[in-house]
Amino acid sequence: MKIAIGCDHGGINLKPVLVDYLNKKGIEFKDFGTFTKDSCDYNDYAAPVAEAVASGEYDRGILICGTGIGMSIAANKVKGIRCAHCHDVFSAKMTRLHNNANILAMGERVIGPGLMLEIVDAFINTDFSNDERHVRRVNKIKALEEKNFK
Ligand code: RB5
């Protein structure tokens, strides 16, 4: 599995924890930045991560900002992205099982490193259920994109 990761200044303290985790697990990833505490726009990191996942180059994305909200809204503007904003393990697991979410967004000002890693673990290690009803619902999301995204 290849993972694209990114953060803004609001997620700059948690991203190194994530990097460390991915390195220790031997998971291939690319860090799209930001790399400093300087104030920046979450959009500028959500977009390349989301595009890298939408293109198929990366299997999943993980985004961190202050709340996770800006990142998730921006990432979901990229066609093909189903970005889930999760701050608990149950939601991270369910969004993989039921929504086939391909990006996880979290907020550094909301959760700590321990919970973040449990959420990441659930997100990475849970497969889409492939149940007919969930496939149908994800396909309806795709149809909505086709109708509304240029
Ligand atoms: C930055 O101050 C903050 O607005 C950003 O990290 C994020 O929380 C936006 O949704």
Coordinates of all heavy atoms in Angstrom, one line a residue, residues 89-128:
V89 N -11.9 5.7 16.5 CA -11.5 4.4 15.8 C -12.7 3.8 15.1 O -12.6 3.3 13.9 CB -10.9 3.4 16.8 CG1 -10.5 2.1 16.1 CG2 -9.6 4.1 17.4
F90 N -13.9 3.8 15.7 CA -15.1 3.2 15.1 C -15.4 3.8 13.8 O -15.6 3.1 12.8 CB -16.3 3.3 16.1 CG -17.6 2.8 15.6 CD1 -17.8 1.4 15.5 CD2 -18.5 3.6 15.1 CE1 -18.9 0.9 15.0 CE2 -19.7 3.1 14.6 CZ -19.9 1.7 14.5
S91 N -15.4 5.1 13.7 CA -15.7 5.8 12.5 C -14.7 5.5 11.4 O -15.1 5.3 10.2 CB -15.8 7.3 12.7 OG -16.8 7.7 13.6
A92 N -13.4 5.5 11.8 CA -12.4 5.2 10.8 C -12.5 3.8 10.2 O -12.4 3.6 9.0 CB -11.0 5.3 11.5
K93 N -12.9 2.8 11.1 CA -13.2 1.5 10.6 C -14.4 1.4 9.7 O -14.4 0.9 8.6 CB -13.3 0.6 11.8 CG -13.4 -0.9 11.5 CD -13.5 -1.7 12.7 CE -13.8 -3.2 12.3 NZ -14.1 -4.0 13.5
M94 N -15.5 2.1 10.1 CA -16.7 2.0 9.4 C -16.7 2.7 8.1 O -17.3 2.3 7.1 CB -17.9 2.6 10.2 CG -18.2 1.8 11.5 SD -18.4 0.0 11.2 CE -20.0 0.0 10.4
T95 N -15.9 3.8 8.0 CA -15.8 4.6 6.7 C -15.0 3.8 5.7 O -15.3 3.9 4.5 CB -15.2 6.0 6.9 OG1 -15.6 6.7 5.7 CG2 -13.7 6.0 7.1
R96 N -14.1 2.9 6.1 CA -13.5 2.0 5.2 C -14.5 0.9 4.8 O -14.6 0.6 3.6 CB -12.2 1.4 5.8 CG -11.1 2.3 5.9 CD -10.4 2.7 4.6 NE -10.2 1.4 3.8 CZ -10.6 1.3 2.6 NH1 -11.2 2.2 1.9 NH2 -10.4 0.1 2.0
L97 N -15.1 0.3 5.8 CA -16.0 -0.8 5.5 C -17.2 -0.4 4.6 O -17.6 -1.1 3.7 CB -16.6 -1.4 6.8 CG -15.8 -2.4 7.6 CD1 -16.4 -2.6 8.9 CD2 -15.7 -3.7 6.8
H98 N -17.8 0.7 4.9 CA -19.1 1.1 4.3 C -18.9 2.1 3.1 O -19.7 2.1 2.2 CB -20.1 1.7 5.3 CG -20.6 0.6 6.2 ND1 -21.7 0.9 7.0 CD2 -20.3 -0.7 6.4 CE1 -22.0 -0.2 7.7 NE2 -21.2 -1.2 7.4
N99 N -18.0 3.1 3.3 CA -17.9 4.2 2.3 C -16.7 4.0 1.4 O -16.5 4.8 0.5 CB -17.7 5.5 3.0 CG -18.7 5.7 4.2 OD1 -18.3 6.0 5.3 ND2 -20.0 5.5 3.9
N100 N -15.8 3.0 1.7 CA -14.6 2.9 0.9 C -13.8 4.2 0.8 O -13.3 4.6 -0.2 CB -14.9 2.4 -0.5 CG -13.7 1.7 -1.1 OD1 -12.6 1.5 -0.5 ND2 -13.8 1.3 -2.4
A101 N -13.8 4.9 2.0 CA -13.1 6.2 2.0 C -11.6 6.0 1.6 O -11.0 5.0 2.0 CB -13.2 6.8 3.4
N102 N -11.1 6.9 0.8 CA -9.7 6.8 0.4 C -8.8 7.8 1.0 O -7.6 7.8 0.8 CB -9.6 6.8 -1.1 CG -10.4 7.9 -1.8 OD1 -10.8 8.8 -1.2 ND2 -10.6 7.7 -3.1
I103 N -9.4 8.8 1.7 CA -8.5 9.8 2.5 C -9.1 9.9 3.9 O -10.4 9.9 4.1 CB -8.4 11.1 1.8 CG1 -7.7 11.0 0.4 CG2 -7.6 12.1 2.7 CD1 -7.4 12.3 -0.3
L104 N -8.2 10.0 4.9 CA -8.6 10.2 6.3 C -8.1 11.6 6.6 O -7.0 12.0 6.4 CB -7.9 9.2 7.1 CG -7.9 9.4 8.6 CD1 -9.3 9.2 9.2 CD2 -6.9 8.4 9.3
A105 N -9.0 12.4 7.2 CA -8.6 13.8 7.7 C -8.8 13.8 9.2 O -9.8 13.4 9.7 CB -9.4 14.9 7.0
M106 N -7.8 14.4 9.9 CA -7.9 14.5 11.4 C -7.4 15.9 11.8 O -6.6 16.6 11.1 CB -7.0 13.5 12.0 CG -7.5 12.1 11.7 SD -6.2 10.8 12.2 CE -4.9 11.1 11.1
G107 N -7.7 16.3 13.0 CA -7.3 17.6 13.6 C -6.4 17.4 14.8 O -6.7 16.8 15.8
E108 N -5.2 18.1 14.7 CA -4.2 18.0 15.7 C -4.7 18.8 17.0 O -4.3 18.5 18.1 CB -2.9 18.7 15.2 CG -1.9 18.8 16.3 CD -0.6 19.4 15.7 OE1 -0.1 18.9 14.7 OE2 -0.2 20.5 16.3
R109 N -5.6 19.7 16.8 CA -6.1 20.5 18.0 C -7.3 19.7 18.6 O -7.9 20.2 19.6 CB -6.5 21.9 17.6 CG -5.3 22.7 17.0 CD -5.7 24.0 16.4 NE -4.6 24.6 15.8 CZ -4.7 25.5 14.8 NH1 -5.8 26.0 14.4 NH2 -3.6 26.0 14.3
V110 N -7.6 18.5 18.1 CA -8.8 17.8 18.6 C -8.3 16.5 19.3 O -8.9 16.1 20.3 CB -9.7 17.4 17.4 CG1 -11.0 16.8 18.0 CG2 -10.1 18.7 16.6
I111 N -7.4 15.8 18.7 CA -6.9 14.5 19.2 C -5.4 14.5 19.5 O -4.7 15.3 18.9 CB -7.3 13.3 18.3 CG1 -6.7 13.5 16.9 CG2 -8.8 13.1 18.3 CD1 -6.8 12.3 16.0
G112 N -5.0 13.6 20.2 CA -3.5 13.4 20.5 C -2.9 12.3 19.7 O -3.6 11.6 18.9
P113 N -1.6 12.1 19.9 CA -0.9 11.2 19.0 C -1.3 9.7 19.2 O -1.4 9.0 18.2 CB 0.6 11.3 19.4 CG 0.6 12.1 20.7 CD -0.7 12.9 20.7
G114 N -1.6 9.3 20.4 CA -2.0 7.9 20.7 C -3.3 7.6 19.9 O -3.4 6.6 19.2
L115 N -4.3 8.4 20.1 CA -5.6 8.1 19.4 C -5.4 8.2 17.9 O -5.9 7.4 17.1 CB -6.7 9.1 19.9 CG -8.0 9.0 19.3 CD1 -8.6 7.6 19.3 CD2 -9.0 10.0 19.9
M116 N -4.6 9.2 17.4 CA -4.4 9.4 16.0 C -3.9 8.1 15.4 O -4.3 7.6 14.3 CB -3.4 10.5 15.7 CG -3.1 10.6 14.2 SD -1.7 11.6 13.7 CE -0.4 10.6 14.3
L117 N -2.9 7.5 16.0 CA -2.3 6.3 15.5 C -3.3 5.1 15.5 O -3.3 4.3 14.6 CB -1.0 5.9 16.2 CG 0.1 6.9 16.0 CD1 1.4 6.4 16.7 CD2 0.4 7.1 14.5
E118 N -4.2 5.0 16.5 CA -5.2 4.0 16.5 C -6.2 4.2 15.3 O -6.6 3.2 14.7 CB -5.9 3.9 17.8 CG -5.0 3.4 18.9 CD -5.8 3.0 20.2 OE1 -7.0 2.7 20.1 OE2 -5.2 2.9 21.2
I119 N -6.5 5.4 15.1 CA -7.4 5.8 14.0 C -6.8 5.4 12.6 O -7.4 4.8 11.8 CB -7.8 7.3 14.0 CG1 -8.7 7.5 15.2 CG2 -8.5 7.7 12.7 CD1 -8.9 9.0 15.6
V120 N -5.5 5.8 12.5 CA -4.7 5.5 11.3 C -4.7 4.0 11.1 O -4.9 3.5 9.9 CB -3.3 6.1 11.3 CG1 -2.4 5.6 10.3 CG2 -3.4 7.6 11.2
D121 N -4.4 3.3 12.1 CA -4.3 1.8 12.0 C -5.6 1.2 11.5 O -5.6 0.3 10.6 CB -4.0 1.3 13.5 CG -3.1 0.1 13.4 OD1 -2.1 0.1 12.8 OD2 -3.6 -1.0 14.0
A122 N -6.7 1.7 12.1 CA -8.0 1.2 11.6 C -8.2 1.5 10.2 O -8.7 0.7 9.4 CB -9.1 1.7 12.5
F123 N -7.9 2.7 9.8 CA -8.1 3.2 8.4 C -7.3 2.4 7.4 O -7.8 2.1 6.3 CB -7.8 4.7 8.3 CG -8.1 5.3 7.0 CD1 -9.4 5.6 6.6 CD2 -7.1 5.7 6.1 CE1 -9.7 6.1 5.4 CE2 -7.3 6.2 4.9 CZ -8.7 6.5 4.5
I124 N -6.1 2.1 7.8 CA -5.2 1.4 6.8 C -5.5 -0.1 6.8 O -5.4 -0.7 5.7 CB -3.7 1.6 7.3 CG1 -3.2 3.0 7.0 CG2 -2.7 0.6 6.6 CD1 -1.8 3.3 7.6
N125 N -5.9 -0.6 7.9 CA -6.0 -2.1 7.9 C -7.4 -2.6 7.8 O -7.7 -3.8 8.0 CB -5.4 -2.6 9.3 CG -3.9 -2.4 9.3 OD1 -3.2 -2.8 8.3 ND2 -3.4 -1.8 10.3
T126 N -8.4 -1.8 7.4 CA -9.7 -2.2 7.2 C -10.1 -2.1 5.7 O -9.9 -1.1 5.0 CB -10.8 -1.4 7.9 OG1 -10.4 -1.3 9.3 CG2 -12.2 -1.9 7.8
D127 N -10.5 -3.2 5.1 CA -10.9 -3.3 3.7 C -12.4 -2.9 3.5 O -13.2 -3.2 4.4 CB -10.7 -4.7 3.1 CG -9.2 -5.0 3.0 OD1 -8.4 -4.0 2.8 OD2 -8.8 -6.2 3.2
F128 N -12.7 -2.4 2.3 CA -14.1 -2.2 2.0 C -14.9 -3.5 2.0 O -14.3 -4.5 1.6 CB -14.1 -1.6 0.6 CG -15.5 -1.2 0.1 CD1 -16.4 -0.5 0.9 CD2 -15.9 -1.6 -1.2 CE1 -17.7 -0.2 0.4 CE2 -17.2 -1.2 -1.7 CZ -18.0 -0.5 -0.9

